[in-house]
Amino acid sequence: IQGNSCYSYHKDATTDAPYKVDGYINLKVSGNTVTGTKRGTQAGPDMNNGYGGTLKGTLDKASMNLLFAYTIEGSKNSEKEIYNITPEGLEKIRYPLIDVKGVLTPDMTKEAKKMPYNKVDCSLIK
């Protein structure tokens, strides 16, 4: 996974999860150093917003631990994110988040959900 690669995540709104989500990741991997950008939109009954920011972290075998520093609705925030490399692209391992010294951090004592990001041509991400 060395070099530049891009990924997208899409989820339609459902009765149980009434938010439509579109997300895009552009990564550059050099050795075990990972940098990139992530942006997207969330739309639902009580919100319609975009978010965007930078990704920075490390690659360890087929897993990436990244810090996502982003802005959403004018507010800045940071979140630790975990991704596994899959044959189709990436899989975000999403745990419930807890605040640890001002950084949203996965609570690994809870059950995780897997969010598939499929590899896409970087020219499709504007």
Side-chain angles (χ1 to χ4, degrees):
I1 188 172
Q2 296 295 306
N4 198 70
S5 53
C6 296
Y7 306 89
S8 68
Y9 172 80
H10 304 286
K11 184 182 86 54
D12 289 328
T14 63
T15 304
D16 293 337
Y19 298 95
K20 179 180 185 302
V21 179
D22 293 296
Y24 302 93
I25 293 175
N26 186 329
L27 287 182
K28 182 177 181 184
V29 179
S30 179
N32 69 344
T33 300
V34 182
T35 58
T37 59
K38 180 177 171 183
R39 64 174 181 75
T41 58
Q42 303 173 99
D46 60 352
M47 74 171 174
N48 190 355
N49 59 43
Y51 59 89
T54 60
L55 294 164
K56 192 175 199 177
T58 58
L59 171 67
D60 181 16
K61 296 184 180 80
S63 182
M64 289 183 278
N65 289 294
L66 305 176
L67 181 67
F68 180 37
Y70 61 95
T71 302
I72 186 167
E73 294 184 342
S75 296
K76 294 188 181 306
N77 216 333
S78 295
E79 178 180 329
K80 289 185 179 179
E81 298 186 331
I82 302 165
Y83 292 88
N84 288 332
I85 299 166
T86 67
E88 297 78 29
L90 298 176
E91 187 174 69
K92 180 177 179 183
I93 310 302
R94 184 174 181 188
Y95 291 92
L97 298 171
I98 53 176
D99 188 313
V100 177
K101 297 180 182 174
V103 176
L104 296 173
T105 303
D107 182 353
M108 297 171 96
T109 66
K110 307 288 189 210
E111 188 174 333
K113 293 181 180 173
K114 295 179 180 178
M115 300 169 59
Y117 279 78
N118 293 314
K119 191 166 188 171
V120 296
D121 186 318
C122 288
S123 68
L124 300 175
I125 298 179
K126 296 175 178 59

